[in-house]
Amino acid sequence: MTVQSNIYPTKALQEMDAAHHLHPFSDMKALNQEGSRIITSATGVWLTDSDGNRIMDGMAGLWCVQVGHGRTEIADAVHKQMVELSYYNTFFKTTHPPAIELSRKLAELAPPHINRVFYCSSGSEANDTVFRMVRYYWDQMGKPDKKVIISRWNGYHGSTLAGTSLGGMKAMHAQGDLPVPGVHHINQPYWFGEGGDMSPDEFGLHAARELEKAIDEIGENKVAAFIAEPIQGAGGVIIPPDTYWPEVQRILKERDILFVADEVICGFGRLGRWFGSDYYGIEPDLMPIAKGLTSGYLPMGGVLVSDRVAEGVVGKGGDFNHGYTYSGHPACAAAALANLAIIEREGLVERVANDIGPYLKERWLKLADHPLVGEARMTGLVGALELVPDKADRHKRFKDVGVPGLLCRDISFENGLVMRAVRDSMIISPPLVLSHEEADFLVATAEKTLNDTYRILKRDGWMG
Ligand SMILES: *Cc1c(COP(=O)(O)O)cnc(C)c1O
């Protein structure tokens, strides 16, 4: 039997969904009343829903579909692998060719000081691995007091216990009494939202020096690691001021703690380099990866491990008592290899740096002229628009934060473009294969959406 999801009318599918399916990060009561939107197929940067609407996927799924939808080359590679060896584990002195080949490939793509990978199935699991690995590393190095991990408010590192704890989402912490002990949060380098009257460059230094203060207050001998996304994704595409990363790198170089760059979004070409760390010239000791690793064709994540950390985790001997049934899953590894082959063959990373990235950015930044937009920003192929009630006053926010953003998101969907709302900023992160014509459509539709949203907000007394 083949399962065909679109043999039912939309209404019937929505009723089944409402009755049986609990969605992530959703108000299920409200969603069940409204009915979920059902995506039935996709190709390139275009989605089709169960009513036959064509919608541009401005978010690459959830920041992950680098090579676009519907690549039969990846499906074929997975099929071939599943016929040959659909599953075997990597626990008991065993492995298989796809995991070996992918490990070699990732070591080649990663910065020179990173040559190993630990596999899992998601970004959250990657950060659970990070949590345990940094503490294990310091135990192995004879410094068992080094346990605290410093991270940032409004960072996102996944939804498991460790991921939620390392992340800085207060709404997530509030459910489940998190974070777990041993995580210390500092402020984010979010100039538009929190920069006060400082210039971006001043604020970048200020935010970086919060890390220095935190390490010195807690004590270097107690701090295990600092974790951060090169650009915060789920937090609202927070692009740090230029001064931020060099100062953080200076602070970390002077102190004996590990640096974890969460590359789950920034990795695999999103910023026009293979990794966000390459883009910013930073040198992390660990890099959690997922999302663009397989372009979302199958779930896979991992932690890229530097030679320094390998010295503790490998060089000292002994078991690292950690792993997942699906660590290095052969079909997922085959999907990743096929995906990376497409990215390389089509020069998608260079394309983001030199072609579609600058092309889209030039047009996207012009949206800052719109009366509803306080700031437009973009690096590589990830960008945001800050919606504000009063363009003349950067510090002013809407009276009900998040409501205008959700309105704008819904209008955008109706207009044929998926944008995501974070508070009242609109986010895009399109597939790296976006063409110039598609970029024009994206910007034109975003502009129409801003106009439509502005009209309603003005009518209903939100502006000013
Ligand atoms: C999405 C994301 C994660 C979590 O990945 P999942 O695959 O959803 O578990 C972790 N870190 C960052 C930076 C992310 O964007």
Side-chain angles (χ1 to χ4, degrees):
M1 190 190 97
T2 47
V3 180
Q4 230 182 325
S5 55
N6 54 354
I7 56 171
Y8 297 99
T10 299
K11 191 102 186 73
L13 285 172
Q14 285 174 330
E15 279 167 14
M16 282 188 263
D17 188 62
H20 304 298
H21 181 193
L22 297 178
H23 292 236
F25 288 98
S26 302
D27 175 343
M28 285 312 303
K29 190 173 176 197
L31 178 62
N32 289 349
Q33 276 157 12
E34 194 180 333
S36 44
R37 191 181 292 264
I38 297 154
I39 306 301
T40 50
S41 64
T43 170
V45 304
W46 297 98
L47 309 169
T48 304
D49 73 12
S50 54
D51 294 327
N53 297 306
R54 216 162 160 257
I55 306 151
M56 177 178 280
D57 186 3
M59 281 303 297
L62 261 180
W63 323 84
C64 55
V65 188
Q66 317 298 72
V67 299
H69 297 275
R71 295 289 194 135
T72 50
E73 184 177 336
I74 301 179
D76 290 346
V78 170
H79 177 263
K80 185 163 171 279
Q81 181 56 47
M82 281 191 162
V83 171
E84 198 159 305
L85 178 72
S86 57
Y87 174 73
Y88 200 71
N89 74 71
T90 52
F91 280 40
F92 306 121
K93 298 187 182 177
T94 56
T95 187
H96 41 71
I100 296 168
E101 205 184 317
L102 180 60
S103 308
R104 189 202 57 78
K105 185 74 210 171
L106 288 169
E108 176 193 311
L109 297 174
H113 68 290
I114 292 183
N115 289 292
R116 288 173 177 81
V117 56
F118 190 100
Y119 290 112
C120 54
S121 302
S122 69
S124 299
E125 287 181 1
N127 283 315
D128 276 56
T129 301
V130 161
F131 199 99
R132 300 198 59 208
M133 192 182 280
V134 298
R135 289 180 167 185
Y136 176 62
Y137 168 80
W138 288 115
D139 287 347
Q140 290 286 88
M141 300 306 281
K143 297 185 178 175
D145 290 341
K146 285 170 86 66
K147 289 285 188 281
V148 175
I149 304 178
I150 298 175
S151 66
R152 306 181 301 177
W153 293 117
N154 199 40
Y156 187 78
H157 300 294
S159 191
T160 52
L161 280 179
T164 301
S165 297
L166 294 172
M169 301 290 180
K170 288 181 183 167
M172 292 174 73
H173 289 169
Q175 298 171 341
D177 301 329
L178 297 171
V180 297
V183 181
H184 179 90
H185 293 86
I186 59 172
N187 287 310
Q188 56 181 337
Y190 179 25
W191 176 78
F192 188 85
E194 298 171 5
D197 293 322
M198 281 180 253
S199 71
D201 280 354
E202 283 167 352
F203 178 67
L205 292 176
H206 171 84
R209 286 172 191 159
E210 282 208 25
L211 173 62
E212 188 166 43
K213 261 212 320 259
I215 299 170
D216 294 347
E217 272 166 27
I218 299 163
E220 191 182 331
N221 60 330
K222 295 213 172 79
V223 177
F226 170 62
I227 182 168
E229 302 152 83
I231 287 177
Q232 289 155 261
V237 184
I238 313 289
I239 301 173
D242 292 341
T243 50
Y244 182 74
W245 281 118
E247 183 68 357
V248 167
Q249 186 68 75
R250 174 194 68 78
I251 290 161
L252 292 174
K253 280 239 151 90
E254 291 171 11
R255 288 165 181 78
D256 191 24
I257 74 173
L258 297 177
F259 180 13
V260 185
D262 185 337
E263 294 275 1
V264 171
I265 285 177
C266 295
F268 306 102
R270 179 59 55 200
L271 306 189
R273 301 292 298 268
W274 275 99
F275 296 97
S277 299
D278 302 328
Y279 180 82
Y280 282 113
I282 50 182
E283 283 178 46
D285 300 294
L286 294 169
M287 301 201 306
I289 54 172
K291 295 193 172 121
L293 169 62
T294 59
S295 280
Y297 279 72
L298 283 177
M300 187 177 222
V303 179
L304 298 178
V305 176
S306 65
D307 298 339
R308 174 188 180 186
V309 173
E311 186 195 329
V313 174
V314 182
K316 303 274 176 195
D319 283 12
F320 178 35
N321 295 311
H322 175 68
Y324 306 99
T325 302
Y326 300 132
S327 286
H329 193 289
C332 302
L337 282 163
N339 172 58
L340 297 176
I342 292 173
I343 295 177
E344 281 196 311
R345 193 180 66 232
E346 298 185 0
L348 295 182
V349 179
E350 297 75 22
R351 199 173 172 268
V352 171
N354 305 321
D355 177 10
I356 190 61
Y359 184 90
L360 182 62
K361 181 175 180 174
E362 189 190 333
R363 286 153 183 80
W364 182 257
L365 293 193
K366 287 201 183 117
L367 295 174
D369 295 338
H370 194 279
L372 189 53
V373 177
E375 183 183 78
R377 51 179 183 262
M378 177 167 280
T379 296
L381 271 193
V382 64
L385 303 171
E386 297 272 1
L387 308 189
V388 290
D390 179 359
K391 208 177 164 65
D393 184 354
R394 197 186 98 222
H395 302 299
K396 211 156 165 193
R397 294 294 176 267
F398 287 108
K399 56 181 183 282
D400 249 329
V401 170
V403 176
L406 284 183
L407 172 72
C408 187
R409 184 187 73 179
D410 289 348
I411 292 172
S412 187
F413 228 119
E414 289 305 318
N415 286 340
L417 170 67
V418 179
M419 288 197 280
R420 176 169 170 181
V422 177
R423 296 177 304 278
D424 293 315
S425 28
M426 305 312 299
I427 306 301
I428 58 160
S429 170
L432 312 188
V433 293
L434 187 79
S435 70
H436 287 204
E437 296 70 36
E438 288 162 344
D440 293 343
F441 174 91
L442 189 158
V443 173
T445 309
E447 188 169 10
K448 174 174 169 22
T449 298
L450 290 171
N451 289 337
D452 295 348
T453 308
Y454 182 63
R455 213 172 300 123
I456 294 172
L457 290 175
K458 209 163 167 174
R459 182 195 70 195
D460 295 347
W462 288 81
M463 300 305 297

Coordinates of all heavy atoms in Angstrom, one line a residue, residues 63 121-125 127 156-159 229 234 262 264-265 290-291, ligand 1:
W63 N 15.1 26.3 8.1 CA 16.5 26.7 7.9 C 17.4 25.6 7.3 O 18.6 25.7 7.5 CB 17.1 27.1 9.2 CG 16.4 27.9 10.2 CD1 15.6 27.3 11.2 CD2 16.4 29.3 10.5 NE1 15.1 28.3 12.0 CE2 15.5 29.5 11.6 CE3 17.0 30.4 9.9 CZ2 15.3 30.8 12.2 CZ3 16.8 31.6 10.5 CH2 15.9 31.8 11.6
S121 N 21.2 12.5 15.6 CA 20.1 12.6 14.6 C 19.5 14.0 14.5 O 18.6 14.3 13.8 CB 19.0 11.7 14.9 OG 19.5 10.3 14.9
S122 N 20.0 15.0 15.3 CA 19.4 16.3 15.3 C 20.4 17.3 15.9 O 21.4 17.0 16.6 CB 18.1 16.3 16.1 OG 18.4 16.2 17.5
G123 N 20.0 18.6 15.8 CA 20.8 19.6 16.5 C 20.7 19.6 18.0 O 21.6 19.9 18.7
S124 N 19.5 19.2 18.5 CA 19.3 19.1 19.9 C 20.2 18.0 20.5 O 20.9 18.2 21.5 CB 17.9 18.8 20.2 OG 17.0 19.8 19.8
E125 N 20.2 16.9 19.8 CA 21.1 15.8 20.3 C 22.6 16.2 20.2 O 23.4 15.8 21.0 CB 20.9 14.5 19.5 CG 19.6 13.8 19.8 CD 19.3 12.6 18.9 OE1 20.2 12.2 18.1 OE2 18.3 12.0 19.1
N127 N 23.7 19.1 20.7 CA 24.1 19.9 21.9 C 24.0 19.2 23.2 O 24.7 19.5 24.2 CB 23.2 21.2 21.9 CG 23.7 22.2 20.9 OD1 24.9 22.4 20.8 ND2 22.8 22.8 20.1
Y156 N 19.5 29.9 20.7 CA 18.7 28.6 20.6 C 19.7 27.5 20.3 O 20.5 27.5 19.4 CB 17.7 28.8 19.4 CG 16.8 27.6 19.4 CD1 15.7 27.5 20.3 CD2 17.0 26.5 18.5 CE1 14.9 26.3 20.3 CE2 16.2 25.4 18.4 CZ 15.1 25.3 19.3 OH 14.3 24.2 19.4
H157 N 19.5 26.4 21.1 CA 20.4 25.3 21.0 C 19.6 24.0 21.0 O 20.1 22.9 21.2 CB 21.5 25.3 22.0 CG 22.4 26.5 22.0 ND1 23.2 26.7 20.9 CD2 22.5 27.5 22.8 CE1 23.8 27.9 21.1 NE2 23.4 28.4 22.3
G158 N 18.3 24.1 20.7 CA 17.5 22.8 20.6 C 16.5 22.8 21.8 O 16.4 23.6 22.6
S159 N 15.7 21.6 21.8 CA 14.6 21.5 22.7 C 14.6 20.4 23.7 O 13.7 20.2 24.4 CB 13.3 21.4 21.8 OG 12.2 21.5 22.5
E229 N 25.7 30.7 18.8 CA 25.5 30.6 17.4 C 26.3 31.8 16.7 O 26.2 32.9 17.2 CB 24.1 30.8 17.0 CG 23.1 29.8 17.6 CD 21.7 30.4 17.8 OE1 21.0 30.3 16.9 OE2 21.4 30.9 18.9
A234 N 16.9 31.2 15.4 CA 15.6 31.3 16.0 C 15.3 32.5 16.9 O 14.2 32.9 17.1 CB 15.4 30.0 16.8
D262 N 27.8 26.9 17.6 CA 26.6 26.1 17.2 C 26.3 26.5 15.7 O 25.8 27.5 15.4 CB 25.4 26.4 18.1 CG 24.2 25.5 17.7 OD1 24.2 25.0 16.6 OD2 23.3 25.3 18.6
V264 N 24.4 24.9 13.6 CA 23.3 24.1 13.1 C 22.6 24.9 11.9 O 22.2 24.3 10.9 CB 22.3 23.7 14.2 CG1 21.0 23.2 13.6 CG2 23.0 22.7 15.1
I265 N 22.5 26.2 12.1 CA 22.0 27.0 11.0 C 23.0 27.6 10.1 O 22.9 27.6 8.8 CB 21.1 28.2 11.5 CG1 19.7 27.6 12.0 CG2 20.8 29.3 10.4 CD1 18.8 28.6 12.6
A290 N 23.7 20.2 12.0 CA 22.5 19.4 11.7 C 21.9 20.0 10.4 O 22.7 20.4 9.5 CB 21.6 19.3 12.8
K291 N 20.7 20.3 10.4 CA 19.9 21.0 9.4 C 20.6 20.8 8.0 O 20.3 19.8 7.3 CB 19.8 22.5 9.8 CG 18.8 22.6 11.0 CD 18.3 24.0 11.3 CE 17.3 23.9 12.4 NZ 17.6 24.7 13.6
Ligands
LIG1 C1 17.5 24.1 15.0 C2 18.6 24.4 15.9 C3 19.0 23.4 16.9 C4 18.2 22.2 17.2 O1 18.2 21.3 16.1 P1 17.0 20.2 16.0 O2 17.4 19.4 14.9 O3 15.7 20.9 15.9 O4 17.1 19.4 17.3 C5 20.2 23.7 17.6 N1 20.9 24.8 17.4 C6 20.5 25.7 16.5 C7 21.4 26.9 16.3 C8 19.4 25.5 15.7 O5 19.0 26.5 14.9

